[in-house]
Each structure stands twice: as structure tokens, then as C-alpha cells.
Amino acid sequence: MTLTQTKTEYEVVIGLEVHAQLKTKTKIFCNCPVDFGAEPNTNVCPVCLGMPGVLPVLNKQVVAYAIKTGLALGCEIVKHCKFDRKQYFYPDLPKNYQISQYDQPICSNGFLDVNGKKIGIQRIHMEEDAGKLVHAGSDRLHGSDYSLVDYNRTGTPLLEIVSLPDIRSIEEARDYAQLLRSILRYLDVCDGNLEEGSMRCDVNVSLRPVGSSILGTRSEIKNVNSFKSLVRAIEAEIERQTEILNSGGKVIQETRLFEENSGKTVSMRSKEEAHDYRYFPEPDLVPLEISKEWINEIKETIPELPHNKKIRYPKDYGLNSDDIKVLIEDRNMAEYYEAVIRLGANPKKAANWLIGPVTAYLKEHKTDIINSCMTPVQLADLLVFIEKGIINDNIAKAEILGEILSNGTNAKEIIEQKGLAQITDEGALKQAVKEVLDQNPEQLKQLKEGKEKVRGFFVGQVMKKTDGKASPNIVNKLIDEFLK
Ligand code: ADP
Ligand code: MG
Ligand code: ZN
């Protein structure tokens, strides 16, 4: 060992396995409803409870959603595939095996364009979810003293979306996961709710010396249930592996858990290998044949996706990347925005209104754009009224917008009922401007000396006199005339 030890620089390599619960009405192999939050063990039947002598029947919608997702992620869709049994024993798995896909996943070789870099998607396969253990009781020393099991979740359809180990930073991992969630939501196949477990991430992390082309040994971190935890878990794992490698140790391949409280990952079990699961073709289901026609039919249903909007919006609407990010996050918001533009609103103004006051209202009322009462036509009309100078911005925000959003009343009606139209009659405003100037000789002197700041004061005073209805443009023009 030399005394001047040079520190090795490591590069992080990350691959993500994402489990997405599909938004089908019923489970993958039986007719039980898929319903988060139902009374425990009420959405169950002999099939999903794993009773002997029952047979699974494949839900066609699951296959359609898998194909849709595969197409959106640039995957090849296989012509033939099958299901396989993955055997393991755990109390949340009443059959003692999970029906999954092993060597013939329905989709493979896709990619996701994350900030201009292609992250490979190795495979997407269909499988059934397990039940849920609820650790109950309160033994303070040993955790819970008994566990309950809820089988409502067994048989909920899942897609497992496996990336290649192409991710090279924590930010890239987060951006990949966020974009993937957004795409699943655009496709309307999964609600992407990490907290409720409808989208779950397993993160594979390894380190290797910078410049090396050989992959290091990975650990797989489970139990990451928010984007924030994803970032923290990778940070913690990089730190842990760096310490091991720097002290001459070896990282072992294992499954680890991220603990929210300590912010550390802890060992859960040594990594199982595929042969541990004794995979074999599921004998109770026939292999699948997927026709080209069906694939083409599904292709037609794919909307423009967020990463494509991200490229198109600056060109078509001249928006900056921050605004775009907010608008495209949710498909309904993006499509609403586009509708308002098609109706003739100014793209920048419409974006400002949606991102600003409209979003603030929706947040405050815990709702979203399609559940509000305001149609794109109504917002476009409101913006046109402002553009034409019929009402000013402040009045539109304070007196009109909230009413449209909550009652769906047209702006025109509100303006008429409340008498909100801007005063654009110069004769009427002239008097008000003159009065305000006369009443404030000190400020007038300053304005005459070129202190433009006091102009706002005068405009404000005129607004006060006119219940906020004066046209600021005309008031400014009149002030100029008086100063001449
Ligand atoms: P398993 O089910 O055994 O975890 P999978 O093939 O389903 O295996 O998933 C492996 C995941 O681990 C993939 O997302 C892949 O990109 C990632 N991965 C594989 N090797 C490494 C590595 N050396 N470092 C980081 N991630 C890796
Ligand atoms: Mg895995
Ligand atoms: Zn069932």
C-alpha cells in the first residue's frame, strides 16, 4: 500500500424496474373489480384466492394496455407469447405462484427519450399483483405482533417495465421515472400514484470506476414510494457502495429496502436468481397470438405524448421550458391549453392564465381542469375580452374567472350583470385623471421632474375612483396629455 493513496472516481449505473397497476375495471384472470381502498377481502373469488380446481381467464384489456404502452415506448410487440408460473411462497400469494411472463415478454427493445438521451427499455411484461400484508398490533420492541392479509389486490393486472442499465445519474433516474409516469397517465393505462402503490419502482444501483466499461455488482432497492425517496435512496446507496469500494470491499448482489426515517438502505435478502423461481409455462392459459390489425388499431388510440409536446410547444407557441413543463405534466391540462389556442387565444397569455390564476384556483378547490365548470371556449372568450380592452386583467382575475370556474357562467354575462366593462370613454376618464392630479400636487411635481415611478400611484388612484374599471392604457395616455 502506498502512502499517497489516490481516490478512485466512480460512475453510477442505474436501471429501473417499474411496476404499473393497470386501470382495468376487473382483474387480470377473473371478474373481480379492481378497486383501491375497498373493504379488505371483499373483491375476491375462488380464482384470485387460488382455490384448487379453478381456471384463469385472461382479461383482453390487459393485453391491449400492454401493447399500447409498448408502442408508446417504441418497443417491438411480439406476435406470439405466453405466460409463465413464477413459484415462491409468501402469505400474500395464495396460489404460491404468480402468473407472469418469463422468456417471452409481450414487448421488448424500446426506449424512452429522457432530455434528449435514449434510455433503453429492455422489456415490458404482464403479470398479476399479490395481496397485501398489513402488519398490525403494537409490540414496541419487535414491531407488529401479528399480520393481516388483504387479498383484494391479488390478481390486479401489472405491467413490469424494465429499463436497461443506461441511466447515469440520480437526476436522470428521477426524470426517467417522472416521464414514464406521465406517459402512463397520458395513455390512461395507469394512474401513476406512487403513494397508493399503483406505480412502484425498484431501483438497481451499481458503481464502477470512471472509464470502465464493465458493469459493477448491483443492489436492488425496493420500497421506493415517491420521487423524493427515489432520489434519497440512490444517494444513500451511492454513499454506501462508495465506502465499501474505497475500503477495499466488494458490493454483494442483494435486495435492499429504503428506510424513510433513517434515509438509509438496509439489507432485505440476498438476490434470488431466476432458477430459484422454477419458472415453467403456465399450463392453464393458452399462448397468445397478437394480430397486426389489433396492434394498428391500438396505435390509433395513442395521443401525442408529453416528450413530443415538449419539442413542439416552443416552436408552435413560443413558450419557455418552465411553462411547458407545467402545462404538459397532465394530459388534460395540455389538451385544454391546445383547445384554447385553437379558439384564437394568444398562446403566451393563455399559458400565463392557466399556469397562474387557473391553477391556483384548482389547487385551492382541490379539483382539476376537466372537473371545473370552465370550458376552453369560455377561457378563450375571457382572454379575447381582455385583449380587446373590454375588461382589464385585474377585474378579469378578481371578479370573473372564479365565477366561470365554479358556475360555468359566460364572461359576457358576468361583465354585463356586474357592470365590469372597462371605462374606455376618454371624456369620462379625463375628469377623474384631472382630479387625481390636482389633489396630489407633491406627486405631480415629482412626475413632472421625470420620476416615472409615481405614475403607478396616479393610475392606482384613478382605478380607485372608478372601482377598478378604468382602462389603464387610456389613463396613461391622459396623464401624458396633461403633462404636455
Ligand atoms: P431481476 O428481476 O433479477 O432484478 P431484471 O432483469 O428484471 O432482473 O432487472 C434487472 C434490472 O437491473 C434492470 O433494470 C437492469 O437495467 C438493471 N441492472 C442490471 N445490471 C445492472 C448493474 N450492474 N447496475 C445497475 N443496474 C443494473
Ligand atoms: Mg428485479
Ligand atoms: Zn377474483
Side-chain angles (χ1 to χ4, degrees), residues 108-125:
S108 57
N109 297 327
F111 67 91
L112 193 54
D113 184 328
V114 180
N115 307 322
K117 177 181 156 186
K118 281 187 179 180
I119 307 291
I121 307 279
Q122 187 190 326
R123 56 185 278 152
I124 302 176
H125 68 253

Side-chain angles (χ1 to χ4, degrees), residues 124-145:
I124 302 176
H125 68 253
M126 300 171 282
E127 61 186 25
E128 56 179 339
D129 209 345
K132 204 172 174 175
L133 289 180
V134 181
H135 303 293
S138 58
D139 179 335
R140 293 184 65 188
L141 273 184
H142 306 100
S144 45
D145 43 18

Side-chain angles (χ1 to χ4, degrees), residues 374-387:
M374 183 171 72
T375 64
V377 176
Q378 288 176 315
L379 179 57
D381 280 350
L382 180 67
L383 297 179
V384 169
F385 284 135
I386 299 169
E387 192 116 324

Side-chain angles (χ1 to χ4, degrees), residues 63 67 77-79 81 106 288-292 294-295:
V63 186
I67 295 172
I77 315 295
V78 287
K79 290 198 184 72
C81 67
I106 183 161
L288 281 178
E289 296 271 341
I290 298 165
S291 73
K292 252 210 147 68
W294 194 28
I295 296 176

Side-chain angles (χ1 to χ4, degrees), residues 228-245:
K228 209 167 140 202
S229 302
L230 178 82
V231 168
R232 291 175 68 213
I234 302 172
E235 274 170 359
E237 193 53 20
I238 291 175
E239 196 179 312
R240 186 187 72 88
Q241 291 188 16
T242 305
E243 261 169 43
I244 294 176
L245 295 174

Side-chain angles (χ1 to χ4, degrees), residues 310-329:
K310 196 172 155 189
I311 297 168
R312 183 172 67 80
Y313 273 27
K315 284 189 254 166
D316 287 4
Y317 310 133
L319 301 181
N320 66 42
S321 57
D322 288 341
D323 289 353
I324 293 173
K325 201 171 172 214
V326 182
L327 286 175
I328 65 176
E329 161 78 24

Side-chain angles (χ1 to χ4, degrees), residues 13 15-17 160 162-165 204 206 215-216 218 220 271:
V13 173
L16 291 180
E17 295 163 73
E160 180 168 338
V162 184
S163 87
L164 285 171
N204 294 270
S206 68
L215 290 177
R218 69 178 154 127
E220 180 180 356
K271 177 76 199 163

